[in-house]
Amino acid sequence: MRICVFCSSSGRIDRRYLDLAEETGKELARRGHTLVSGGATVSCMGAVARAARDGGAHTVGVIPRALVDVEIADDDAELVVTEDMRSRKGEMDRRSDAFLVLPGGLGTLEELFEIWTSRVLGMHEKPIAILDPYGLYEPLRDLMKHLLDEGFARPRIFDAIGWASTVTEAFDHLERTPVRLEATAEDYVESEP
């Protein structure tokens, strides 16, 4: 499989997140997958790519032209340079069979929400997993439950994604045949209270 990993490019994070990225890259390679990532050498992005390559995996990095110098483009990967962030996400999506979300910030959340929303709407059947051994995304999970309780979301939001606390569990989820989700008119029309 070609697995897209969304993760941090921040240099101010705790070492445990870098260790998690390295473990993820090693496991991806051990399982014989290809890595698709944000194409940077910094932080978790760089750690996952280096570990994957060290394990023998092919790596593809997709980076916007404006970030080539800022995030330090990963020239050891098959590097794809895009015009902007929107085309970056589209290219990462096109090149991937599954998505794995590691701890990250605003950019990681933005990538997660776009791919999660399109999965819920039945626009793709690619599996998605959030790897969260330290509880960083627990408030997000609680928010999604609250949106569900308040009628702003349907239960399928949780059918569209797997939550994992270990690297093994995350890859096991991605390698399973995904549940087919199909959007209905009910997903687009407000119902009576």
Side-chain angles (χ1 to χ4, degrees):
M1 290 175 72
R2 299 167 303 168
I3 298 178
C4 181
V5 176
F6 296 135
C7 59
S8 178
S9 63
S10 172
R12 297 185 310 255
I13 59 173
D14 189 281
R15 177 70 213 181
R16 65 186 172 163
Y17 297 116
L18 294 170
D19 292 342
L20 180 66
E22 289 172 5
E23 184 183 351
T24 299
K26 287 177 186 174
E27 184 65 10
L28 180 141
R30 190 187 73 73
R31 291 182 183 228
H33 300 306
T34 293
L35 171 69
V36 177
S37 73
T41 60
V42 297
S43 192
C44 293
M45 259 195 258
V48 72
R50 284 187 298 276
R53 277 194 300 275
D54 287 349
H58 179 69
T59 61
V60 178
V62 184
I63 190 166
R65 189 171 314 284
L67 296 182
V68 166
D69 294 327
V70 176
E71 291 186 343
I72 309 168
D74 186 354
D75 292 324
D76 292 326
E78 176 188 331
L79 195 63
V80 178
V81 179
T82 63
E83 288 305 310
D84 54 34
M85 291 294 279
R86 288 184 182 200
S87 56
R88 175 198 220 177
K89 288 184 301 176
E91 190 65 23
M92 291 171 82
D93 183 8
R94 187 182 70 74
R95 291 174 175 263
S96 302
D97 302 309
F99 300 90
L100 178 55
V101 182
L102 301 183
L106 190 58
T108 304
L109 287 172
E110 195 264 343
E111 291 164 332
L112 165 62
F113 278 121
E114 182 167 326
I115 206 69
W116 192 359
T117 300
S118 58
R119 173 89 168 91
V120 168
L121 294 174
M123 296 177 169
H124 71 84
E125 294 181 25
K126 299 174 184 181
I128 306 167
I130 293 177
L131 176 54
D132 189 25
Y134 308 114
L136 180 75
Y137 291 126
E138 275 305 308
L140 172 63
R141 196 173 191 174
D142 292 342
L143 174 61
M144 293 300 109
K145 289 177 184 172
H146 184 62
L147 291 175
L148 180 65
D149 292 343
E150 294 296 318
F152 289 103
R154 304 220 184 277
R156 71 175 354 128
I157 64 172
F158 291 107
D159 296 335
I161 199 163
W163 297 76
S165 58
T166 69
V167 171
T168 300
E169 186 181 6
F171 278 101
D172 287 348
H173 174 80
L174 295 178
E175 291 171 348
R176 279 189 224 113
T177 303
V179 174
R180 182 173 173 79
L181 300 175
E182 293 184 22
T184 65
E186 185 178 271
D187 291 318
Y188 300 98
V189 179
E190 290 186 30
S191 57
E192 293 291 321

